[in-house]
Amino acid sequence: MATRNLEKLASIDAQLRLLVPGKVSEDDKLIEYDALLLDKFLDILQDLHGDDLKEAVQECYELSAEYEGKRDPKKLEELGSLLTSLDPGDSIVIAKAFAHMLSLANLAEEVQIAYRRRIKLKKGDFADEANATTESDIEETLKKLVHKLNKSPEQVFDALKNQTVDLVFTAHPTQSVRRSLLQKHGRIRDCLAQLYAKDITPDDKQELDEALHREIQAAFRTDEIRRTAPTPQDEMRAGMSYFHETIWKGVPKFLRRVDTALKNIGINERVPYNAPLIQFSSWMGGDRDGNPRVTPEVTRDVCLLARMMAANMYFSQIEDLMFEMSMWRCTDELRVRAEEIYRTARSDVKHYIEFWKRVPPTEPYRVILSDVRDRLYNTRERARHILAHGISDIPEEAVYTNVEEFLEPLELCYRSLCACGDRVIADGSLLDFLRQVSTFGLSLVKLDIRQESERHTDVLDAITQHLEIGSYREWSEEKRQEWLLAELGGKRPLFGSDLPKTEEVKDVLDTFNVLAELPSDCFGAYIISMATSPSDVLAVELLQRECHVKQPLRVVPLFEKLADLEAAPAAMARLFSIEWYKNRIDGKQEVMIGYSDSGKDAGRFSAAWQLYKAQEDIIKVAKEFGVKLVMFHGRGGTVGRGGGPTHLAILSQPPDTIHGSLRVTVQGEVIEQSFGEEHLCFRTLQRFCAATLEHGMNPPISPRPEWRELMDEMAIVATEQYRSIVFKEPRFVEYFRLATPELEYGRMNIGSRPSKRKPSGGIESLRAIPWIFAWTQTRFHLPVWLGFGAAFKHAIQKDSKNLHMLQEMYRTWPFFRVTIDLVEMVFAKGDPGIAALNDKLLVSEDLWSFGESLRGNYEETKDYLLEIAGHKDLLEGDPYLKQRIRLRDSYITTLNVCQAYTLKRIRDPNYHVTLRPHISKEYAETSKPADELIHLNPTSDYAPGLEDTLILTMKGIAAGMQNTG
């Protein structure tokens, strides 16, 4: 028995090495990291739950690994019978263990990526950077522009100073990991990185080992499942925590690196602190599209909370700055101001820790900054009072209300230091502080408001009915425009307090009243979803005026469905030809394009091509009317919803569409992947900045006319096939609901927003997120690839020369290459064998042939894809990603099988399993037959333990799939 145990212990490590035979490169430590974390975790599992449970985990892993090696479906059935024989408590522990092992594998990957990056920076070796799919290094980009593309350093500096990347955080409910766990994961990552540091002493190693053990155990002992759904305020707090943890300090650090990169191409100036290189916005608490929980009160709370957080972060830094600014030489301008402040200053202030006595005028910079500190304190406290009690006794004069008055004294200190020969001091912490104020302002982020166009129509209809001039809803577009423009041109108020309001109408008007009440720097854009015509935009302009919004928000139409994207250029042309509107926008317009719904509506292939063409056409229209257009990209985190590597996504946009201004959503789980840790934050800012700069200065090629023709033809075939299956196949919805955990998805409590726009209804009313999520869980990814195969088959069968044309498009046209590469990556993560198991267990027999035909389509599509990319195997061009996916597969397979059998037990009351005796030591010692884990969910509709097991498998698979979940 003992020797068998020893063999078992060695086996997972051995399995890992079998799965991924060799190192990919000299600096590849991934297997080492992975094995270390896994060994630690298995020891913890053994201590907590005994040998038998640990053995069961290893047995599951081995069966999965054997299946991965030979793709033998019998192995899945063996694994299924092992998992279904577990009693409810053991089953939860095992699902939890595999989900946890996947999280650890992800952390090992992040540490390996950071490690490789440091090695490359030391060597200055970016040889593989040009063809790497995910990197853009700012220094490398600047050198490439100057040395290879013959741009002058001044041109590069000029372009960089004038570009803006605005990252918009949205609370799309796909962040399925709890914040309590994210923090523990961060500490595990730190320990692992430090363990492999060069200068580590034996004592350090011992302490780090203990810390690693502690954090892995703490994460495993934390309940991963959210027991209640988050509110929009929770989502906003979770999103804002990234500012606190990484972004706040990350921005000035990144801008310093940009300064260094500029110096290295011969520019001896810094990026001006007020250059809007990076901006942040948010939808959390502002996005009310289909989310009844986002009320006007929520919007108000979220804005005040963000103001309070911003003032608090400035306040926490100002004393450090005062310590630094101990100089006495200053300009006359500053001395006069310091003396004036000194004369009117309060004497001692006991609630300050440092500088609580009145600062003497011999330290003039400190005098100026002590006044800034007082006002920041008041700004924070006033926001806190209003948030808690609705009023504050701190008068508005005592606080900062706009960012200019906050910047002014800081600029005064900066100018004075430079004038006295102390520029090197001015360019220290003071410059960082100025850059933070320029980036975050007083509101931390600007909140966008998003609302559906129909809701505005309801309000205007209530108004016209009340005025007895007819029904706005029934008017033609021409009549609507005529009336809206007449009202916008007039002065009279449209309605008073006697307007009869339904709940919906009151909600929309109250939102506009919040926009009027709060400081205008709280808000960014007003986005209209499902926008189709100019009246949708004019309606919002009129409502802003009627509700006395002092500085009206810019109004942004969002085009999502395929038909709306096709009609968008014409709609924008009609809007720009209205004289009143042209004067209102002052030559600037923003348009948002949605990736999720267009993909769900027509499939990924046609949506990607239509989005490409729509951007080109809208830009053309804007140029004709002399308008500078900013495209706002509503990308999801998953490939099916427009996600994928940042650098590639930006460089594959049509030429002329970015022009130094990019706005893009950063959604749900992607926020953690992009900003969860200091080096991730740095890398994200670098990618966005570098790729935006490169796109503007070295635009990608335009497709040739014959490529366009082929794409148009293929898109028609792809849409036809996608829709014939998803919308026209009479039993497709039934198949989808049986073959995936879509119906159970709502139990995950991962967002404040309902998973459907309308409670009844088929695929159309399902949101894009659960639609993609459900297919990812079964590793079939149908929405991503469906349509591609039919399109390629049609093109190649029509004319064999088309294959060469497609191969040439792949080699030379970034847009086409990115589209194909992302789908190839999804195929590398897919496995039709899992979908087949789900069909066998969960789908009625008369639908099996339908599932088989879809799997046949999957294989055919994959073959065409490899032929066009010129690859023998999936991902042969990216060995690092291939290695990472292979390491994860065995964990994911166990969770897939566990999920399929758990769903079978939940859905089929006649499915009986024989349970073996309880094996988990911790609970076997007590006399209770059911274990305490089951009591975490006492109200489940299902048999004990099944719901939690199911949710743990969903979370684990989502973590393992990363950008396809």
Side-chain angles (χ1 to χ4, degrees), residues 387-650:
L387 198 56
H389 312 295
I391 53 162
S392 171
D393 51 7
I394 297 173
E396 207 166 277
E397 305 74 74
V399 304
Y400 286 124
T401 51
N402 65 51
V403 77
E404 287 72 29
E405 53 179 0
F406 182 14
L407 276 170
E408 193 273 332
L410 302 169
E411 288 169 333
L412 175 62
C413 292
Y414 189 86
R415 278 198 309 275
S416 170
L417 285 166
C418 293
C420 296
D422 287 329
R423 175 177 284 275
V424 52
I425 298 171
D427 283 341
S429 307
L430 180 59
L431 178 65
D432 287 346
F433 198 79
L434 278 162
R435 284 172 163 173
Q436 284 170 321
V437 178
S438 294
T439 305
F440 304 109
L442 291 168
S443 55
L444 193 58
V445 290
K446 290 201 180 307
L447 185 72
D448 283 359
I449 303 293
R450 180 168 76 143
Q451 183 59 280
E452 230 175 321
S453 57
E454 275 298 295
R455 299 289 301 274
H456 305 130
T457 305
D458 293 344
V459 175
L460 291 172
D461 194 64
I463 292 170
T464 56
Q465 302 256 23
H466 181 57
L467 296 172
E468 296 178 357
I469 53 172
S471 165
Y472 178 85
R473 180 182 294 290
E474 276 148 34
W475 289 350
S476 67
E477 174 62 16
E478 279 60 44
K479 186 162 183 196
R480 285 183 181 190
Q481 281 186 38
E482 189 189 325
W483 179 75
L484 289 164
L485 287 166
E487 288 301 333
L488 282 163
K491 290 275 188 280
R492 61 167 192 169
L494 261 185
F495 60 90
S497 51
D498 59 339
L499 175 73
K501 304 184 191 83
T502 61
E503 271 306 305
E504 281 80 11
V505 168
K506 183 176 180 319
D507 185 77
V508 173
L509 289 173
D510 285 352
T511 301
F512 281 103
N513 292 332
V514 169
L515 302 184
E517 168 206 345
L518 290 172
S520 58
D521 65 352
C522 290
F523 301 105
Y526 193 112
I527 293 150
I528 313 167
S529 51
M530 305 296 172
T532 50
S533 49
S535 64
D536 290 335
V537 173
L538 295 173
V540 175
E541 293 286 8
L542 182 61
L543 289 171
Q544 291 200 81
R545 198 199 71 183
E546 282 305 312
C547 296
H548 314 293
V549 179
K550 292 181 280 298
Q551 284 182 314
L553 280 63
R554 58 183 193 278
V555 181
V556 177
L558 159 57
F559 300 106
E560 293 183 276
K561 291 230 161 42
L562 207 62
D564 295 343
L565 285 166
E566 282 167 11
M572 294 315 294
R574 293 209 304 279
L575 198 54
F576 293 150
S577 53
I578 296 169
E579 196 58 33
W580 180 91
Y581 188 72
K582 191 90 191 290
N583 295 334
R584 151 81 174 100
I585 59 171
D586 190 26
K588 289 194 285 287
Q589 173 70 47
E590 188 177 310
V591 169
M592 181 169 183
I593 48 174
Y595 288 64
S596 301
D597 283 324
S598 53
K600 199 182 92 192
D601 180 41
R604 194 76 233 120
F605 184 91
S606 311
W609 178 230
Q610 194 53 54
L611 284 159
Y612 188 93
K613 290 197 301 183
Q615 287 188 70
E616 289 185 314
D617 294 345
I618 296 170
I619 290 277
K620 207 180 291 168
V621 167
K623 273 188 180 156
E624 281 165 27
F625 285 93
V627 172
K628 179 176 171 18
L629 194 76
V630 173
M631 293 310 274
F632 179 8
H633 300 263
R635 298 167 72 221
T638 64
V639 175
R641 291 178 31 247
T646 302
H647 149 101
L648 274 184
I650 294 175

Side-chain angles (χ1 to χ4, degrees), residues 220-233:
F220 184 60
R221 289 292 222 186
T222 301
D223 184 15
E224 281 114 305
I225 301 173
R226 284 201 182 95
R227 299 294 169 184
T228 52
T231 64
Q233 288 101 318

Side-chain angles (χ1 to χ4, degrees), residues 7 23 74 101 107 143 148 172 207 222 238 242 284 313 320 365 532 535 538 554 556 570 660 806 824 914:
E7 278 168 30
K23 288 187 167 194
K74 286 200 184 68
M101 289 195 284
L107 295 173
K143 283 181 181 163
K148 289 194 184 148
H172 280 292
E207 284 161 22
T222 301
Y242 291 97
M284 301 178 190
M313 287 198 276
D320 293 344
Y365 294 100
T532 50
S535 64
L538 295 173
R554 58 183 193 278
V556 177
L806 288 165
E824 186 182 353
T914 317

Side-chain angles (χ1 to χ4, degrees), residues 80 92 130 205 210 240 522 557 758 777 801 897:
I92 291 176
K205 186 176 180 313
E210 280 173 20
M240 292 305 104
C522 290
K758 299 184 179 69
Q777 289 287 309
K801 287 198 198 85
V897 173

